[in-house]
Amino acid sequence: MKYTKDHEWITIDGDVATVGITNFAQGELGEIVYVDVDTVGESLEEGDVFGTVEAVKTTSDLFLPVAGEILEFNPEISEDDGDNPAIINEDAEGKGWIIKMKVSNTGDIDNLMSKEDYEKLIG
């Protein structure tokens, strides 16, 4: 698992990555009530906004850790399917993943933070 300064995490299997927000981020946001991802099928660049997370207190943009094509929005979270955004609060770095994507350049993952570096960032 690798991390961004914007509190997203990413894991990769071949050229398909799973992306979500960190436990720290979900804790800071509080109760998550809605997640919007309308970029499925789109190719985006590293750092582009791929969706938003809405909590009781605030709404935050979701930033893509690496460039690639958005393949899937977690059906358990999607309003059209499972409509359970609270799963992010329950298991942010597991079942609460947000998207799956096809990575344009898997080498970009090397530019992200390790768990140790991320833990230093959040103090």
Side-chain angles (χ1 to χ4, degrees):
M1 192 173 279
K2 295 284 194 161
Y3 300 85
T4 71
K5 63 178 176 41
D6 297 308
H7 310 290
E8 283 87 17
W9 59 263
I10 184 170
T11 60
I12 190 160
D13 182 11
D15 65 352
V16 175
T18 304
V19 178
I21 64 170
T22 65
N23 280 319
F24 175 81
Q26 69 81 20
E28 291 292 300
L29 287 167
E31 183 184 348
I32 294 171
V33 295
Y34 182 71
V35 180
D36 181 36
V37 174
D38 60 4
T39 52
V40 174
E42 293 182 26
S43 291
L44 302 172
E45 295 300 316
E46 175 186 341
D48 284 355
V49 173
F50 70 86
T52 57
V53 173
E54 186 177 324
V56 173
K57 298 182 276 184
T58 187
T59 299
S60 294
D61 287 335
L62 297 166
F63 300 98
L64 207 59
V66 295
E69 179 186 356
I70 311 301
L71 300 174
E72 180 183 0
F73 178 26
N74 186 341
E76 196 158 344
I77 296 171
S78 170
E79 189 175 45
D80 296 334
D81 296 312
D83 196 20
N84 183 20
I87 195 168
I88 296 172
N89 292 114
E90 296 162 16
D91 189 13
E93 294 183 15
K95 292 179 186 172
W97 61 271
I98 298 174
I99 60 162
K100 292 195 184 283
M101 64 177 292
K102 182 174 172 113
V103 178
S104 299
N105 179 0
T106 56
D108 290 345
I109 302 280
D110 297 335
N111 298 329
L112 300 172
M113 287 186 271
S114 67
K115 183 170 187 70
E116 294 77 21
D117 290 339
Y118 181 72
E119 287 174 351
K120 285 179 193 168
L121 173 76
I122 61 177

